[in-house]
Amino acid sequence: MIAVHDIHKHFGGFHAVDGATLTIETGSITGLIGPNGAGKTTLFNVVAGVLPPTSGTVVMDGEDITGLKPHQLFDKGLLRTFQIAHEFSSMTCRENLMMVPGEQTGETLWNTWFGRKRIADEERALRAKADEVLEFLTVEHLADHPAGAISGGQKKLLELGRTMMVDAKIVFLDEVGAGVNRTLLNTIGDAILRLNTERGYTFCVIEHDMDFIGRLCDPVICMAEGKVLAQGTLAEIKANDAVIEAYLGTGLKNKDKLEEPA
């Protein structure tokens, strides 16, 4: 699905991503881990078009997408979420979902005058789709709640729901578990697994919680200092001396600490 080749992203003299090369296979849930400052989110931003790379290429389904803007990648089915949820706080959860699909009939002045029936039909379909998504995520009771008033974990679910309002092919999830309680994190994990198995979504997940990564992800890729350090199963990653050194800087004697959620 995605091939990243020799990506560099420099901010002045700082090399946030320094020659990263990796692949994300179609139908996988790939985990991306690494210590703080490893370049994970910067790499996400490059792949998702938020930042242009200094050099290197990103290919999606055989097409070079390097440097395309987020809205262009959205049309190709590449979506991402953020560490901090970006909701329209005064709008309801249902309305937040209904806004996602592009090129809606009601977006043009002409159609608001002469296409009212078409707009009404489209909005009914979008409302039904949004309600289906909320039910899938088990938060249908929040449909009419202002999105700004729900919990942080529920906002993460709402962001995941946005990806379900369009034909997403691959979704990049940036620390979906950050600040989320264990019960809601399990709900998010269940939704990701169902989207993967039932609807064929491909995911790439940045996360520090090793239990969450272990439950969902295979393979797991570890980054450090802007480079890809290792790739394999979580068990293989945990046993890798270079990974342990990158996380702990103390060698094998503290290897068991990698078992704990960070």
Side-chain angles (χ1 to χ4, degrees), residues 30-31 217-222 230-238 240:
T30 298
C217 300
D218 185 15
V220 177
I221 299 169
C222 181
Q231 178 171 336
T233 66
L234 184 58
E236 291 168 341
I237 291 294
K238 286 179 177 179
N240 186 297

Side-chain angles (χ1 to χ4, degrees), residues 62-159:
E63 178 187 356
D64 189 342
I65 60 170
T66 312
L68 292 186
K69 301 298 183 184
H71 69 276
Q72 296 171 307
L73 296 172
F74 176 91
D75 290 339
K76 295 180 182 296
L78 188 156
L79 289 77
R80 70 155 296 174
T81 66
F82 295 86
Q83 294 178 22
I84 300 174
H86 291 67
E87 78 283 352
F88 294 98
S89 59
S90 63
M91 300 176 68
T92 67
C93 292
R94 181 190 289 115
E95 289 167 342
N96 267 263
L97 295 180
M98 290 175 66
M99 285 192 63
V100 173
E103 299 181 359
Q104 295 187 32
T105 302
E107 292 177 354
T108 64
L109 182 60
W110 176 268
N111 287 334
T112 61
W113 291 344
F114 301 106
R116 292 184 180 181
K117 182 181 184 305
R118 189 161 34 134
I119 291 172
D121 291 343
E122 189 176 87
E123 287 191 350
R124 275 193 294 271
L126 285 172
R127 182 186 180 93
K129 175 70 172 177
D131 286 343
E132 176 194 340
V133 168
L134 291 167
E135 182 179 0
F136 181 96
L137 297 173
T138 68
V139 289
E140 61 269 29
H141 58 288
L142 298 176
D144 295 311
H145 285 239
I150 63 178
S151 73
Q154 290 166 339
K155 289 177 182 179
K156 295 291 182 75
L157 274 171
L158 186 62
E159 284 221 323

Side-chain angles (χ1 to χ4, degrees), residues 1-4 22-31 44 47-48 58-61 65 70 73-81 160 162-164 166-173 192 195-196 199-205 221:
M1 178 71 74
I2 295 288
V4 173
L22 58 88
T23 58
I24 301 170
E25 297 296 332
T26 301
S28 70
I29 305 177
T30 298
F44 261 31
V47 174
V58 181
V59 176
M60 177 179 175
D61 283 337
I65 60 170
L73 296 172
F74 176 91
D75 290 339
K76 295 180 182 296
L78 188 156
L79 289 77
R80 70 155 296 174
T81 66
L160 186 60
R162 287 176 180 168
T163 72
M164 299 173 62
V166 293
D167 294 324
K169 293 182 178 179
I170 181 166
V171 180
F172 289 83
L173 302 172
I192 292 169
L195 287 170
N196 176 253
R199 305 197 181 190
Y201 278 37
T202 300
F203 288 97
C204 186
V205 184
I221 299 169

Side-chain angles (χ1 to χ4, degrees), residues 202-218:
T202 300
F203 288 97
C204 186
V205 184
I206 292 177
E207 187 52 62
H208 289 292
D209 188 317
M210 293 297 171
D211 290 340
F212 188 77
I213 287 288
R215 179 188 172 200
L216 267 64
C217 300
D218 185 15

